[in-house]
Amino acid sequence: MTTANNIAVQMPQIPEHPERSETAYILRLADNALILGQRLSEMCGHAPEMELDMALTNISLDLIGQAKLLFEHVLTLEDLAPNADALALTRYEAQYTNLLLVAQPNVNFAHIVLRQYLFSTMQKYQYEALLGSTDKNLAAIAEKSLKEIAYHIRFAKTWVLRLGDGTDESKDRMDDALSCLWRYTGEMFARDDILAQATDSGLTTDFTKSYKNWQVEVEGLLVQAGDLQPPEVGQMLMGGTQGRHDEQLGNILSDLQFMQLKYPGLQW
Amino acid sequence: MTDNWHLFEVFIRSKNGLAHKHAGSVHAQDADTAILSARDLYTRRGEASSLCIIKSADIIASDPAEAGELFDPADDKIYRHPTFYTVPDGVKNM
């Protein structure tokens, strides 16, 4: 089937849900890395300074590299797609199970570094929980990624501090970023059946138990960063890991999927 | 680029035991961000085992315009090179 402008819209048949909870869990990790990597890649050539441009695209490449390893690993567990590209790039939106946070837009540099800080500090706990996994390959991927994550945290933390504790303007922007992004942080530590099953099977330990530690760590830094205060959030926004996304993911996918849909099986 | 961006010179040591070599410069606000920027710009392809950063303004260098008076006088003092000694027989390495 083709549309009027000749873009092939035929999607490969990828099962709606993985059968195994282990696969579903790893797919979440992969989707987080892929979507945040893609979001950051939009900054290529657009960061405030060349040095920051390189920094953001380096982080983007780290994340896409993590995603690649995870997608390839998923395919060794369950035959979901002919290859990692097809799995990463040709699912329907509701089949992506990334957090809402990672798809949030690059409003300005404050939003970018705060999003990175909130995510990477969580990702550290999440990947440390994989180090003793019964799945040795997954443990190895986590171990490799943790070095990258440590750097992402260092970079993002440095900038959250400087902007929060900088000028009135930079503090305002940081405040704005915090009031936009904080409501997505609850989802990072939400526990559901997939995580419970992955924990039972020994794939991961339950990193959501670190939620309190994470809050203490992050809120401590925010205080240092010009006494930033997280907003009162009545209800944390959730749904990404269940495939219920806001309008942001669609924007990302329209870029991300274009080439694979137009030229199925395309390789660089 | 506003006043709070400074220029730093970046020196890279490719492996332990070698000296740091000048690689280039970066813009940054302070020591922390200078190390991060240098890492992101100059060590992407596994070039470094350590980095050394110096604020460009803190480097004291000779003025190229004074190169004549500083260095030219050494050109014709060939007797300062230890090439006038004869090496005794039997000495293999000097």
Side-chain angles (χ1 to χ4, degrees):
Chain A
M1 186 174 74
T2 54
T3 57
N5 58 358
N6 203 28
I7 293 172
V9 291
Q10 191 174 9
M11 288 284 214
Q13 294 301 308
I14 293 177
E16 200 169 328
H17 299 291
E19 272 177 32
R20 300 178 53 187
S21 58
E22 289 91 345
T23 318
Y25 187 71
I26 301 170
L27 208 47
R28 285 181 183 180
L29 306 178
D31 283 343
N32 281 340
L34 175 72
I35 299 302
L36 185 53
Q38 173 69 14
R39 205 34 132 191
L40 282 171
S41 76
E42 293 171 9
M43 292 308 295
C44 185
H46 298 280
E49 291 295 336
M50 183 189 73
E51 283 80 358
L52 300 177
D53 210 284
M54 293 296 292
L56 295 179
T57 42
N58 280 348
I59 295 175
S60 167
L61 281 174
D62 284 348
L63 289 167
I64 290 172
Q66 292 170 14
K68 181 169 182 281
L69 291 173
L70 291 166
F71 282 124
E72 284 166 353
H73 185 52
V74 161
L75 292 180
T76 64
L77 301 177
E78 197 171 327
D79 187 20
L80 292 172
N83 57 54
D85 276 351
L87 182 59
L89 305 172
T90 64
R91 277 173 293 155
Y92 289 103
E93 181 176 327
Q95 292 177 285
Y96 284 82
T97 53
N98 55 281
L99 298 162
L100 296 176
L101 176 72
V102 296
Q104 295 311 304
N106 302 320
V107 177
N108 58 34
F109 192 63
H111 280 247
I112 293 169
V113 292
L114 183 66
R115 183 184 61 206
Q116 195 66 47
Y117 179 67
L118 297 173
F119 175 74
S120 296
T121 43
M122 178 284 295
Q123 203 192 13
K124 185 184 67 157
Y125 288 113
Q126 192 176 36
Y127 278 44
E128 279 171 355
L130 299 172
L131 290 176
S133 176
T134 48
D135 180 338
K136 295 297 166 222
N137 288 324
L138 184 62
I141 294 172
E143 190 181 352
K144 175 179 185 292
S145 305
L146 275 164
K147 283 186 189 170
E148 296 170 343
I149 294 165
Y151 185 78
H152 302 167
I153 294 173
R154 183 172 168 182
F155 174 83
K157 185 175 173 175
T158 300
W159 280 103
V160 170
L161 273 173
R162 273 161 186 70
L163 295 183
D165 198 18
T167 62
D168 289 346
E169 170 81 25
S170 70
K171 171 125 197 281
D172 282 351
R173 290 185 184 215
M174 215 55 197
D175 260 330
D176 175 58
L178 194 56
S179 69
C180 286
L181 298 176
W182 191 254
R183 70 191 69 163
Y184 299 106
T185 56
E187 185 183 22
M188 299 195 297
F189 291 94
R191 204 160 189 278
D192 69 348
D193 287 349
I194 298 286
L195 176 58
Q197 286 160 23
T199 309
D200 290 345
S201 71
L203 186 77
T204 177
T205 55
D206 184 3
F207 79 99
T208 61
K209 288 185 179 140
S210 306
Y211 192 17
K212 269 274 166 282
N213 293 343
W214 178 86
Q215 282 174 315
V216 170
E217 176 185 338
V218 168
E219 289 174 17
L221 182 86
L222 293 175
V223 168
Q224 277 183 59
D227 204 17
L228 293 167
Q229 297 293 333
E232 292 291 327
V233 176
Q235 181 74 46
M236 286 287 180
L237 295 181
M238 306 205 185
T241 51
Q242 316 301 324
R244 295 192 308 275
H245 296 281
D246 57 21
E247 72 274 26
Q248 306 303 342
L249 184 63
N251 285 330
I252 294 179
L253 294 183
S254 63
D255 258 354
L256 184 64
Q257 297 189 328
F258 178 82
M259 292 300 277
Q260 273 302 319
L261 295 185
K262 173 99 177 163
Y263 303 102
L266 175 78
Q267 303 220 329
W268 288 101
Chain B
M1 189 176 287
T2 51
D3 307 345
N4 51 19
W5 287 80
H6 307 289
L7 195 62
F8 291 81
E9 298 302 320
V10 179
F11 299 82
I12 289 179
R13 186 171 62 184
S14 53
K15 54 185 175 184
N16 286 338
L18 296 179
H20 284 86
K21 280 176 80 173
H22 189 233
S25 50
V26 287
H27 292 100
Q29 293 70 45
D30 52 30
D32 289 346
T33 52
I35 285 277
L36 297 182
S37 293
R39 180 263 190 195
D40 285 325
L41 256 71
Y42 293 105
T43 70
R44 303 176 76 230
R45 299 175 185 86
E47 293 94 334
S49 72
S50 104
L51 276 172
C52 175
I53 314 278
I54 300 169
K55 226 176 181 181
S56 307
D58 289 343
I59 292 182
I60 301 162
S62 64
D63 181 350
E66 295 171 347
E69 61 194 79
L70 288 174
F71 309 120
D72 285 357
D75 285 352
D76 58 355
K77 312 287 194 295
I78 55 165
Y79 48 84
R80 289 179 181 167
H81 292 278
T83 50
F84 295 89
Y85 300 97
T86 47
V87 179
D89 292 344
V91 174
K92 290 190 180 110
N93 297 306
M94 273 294 278

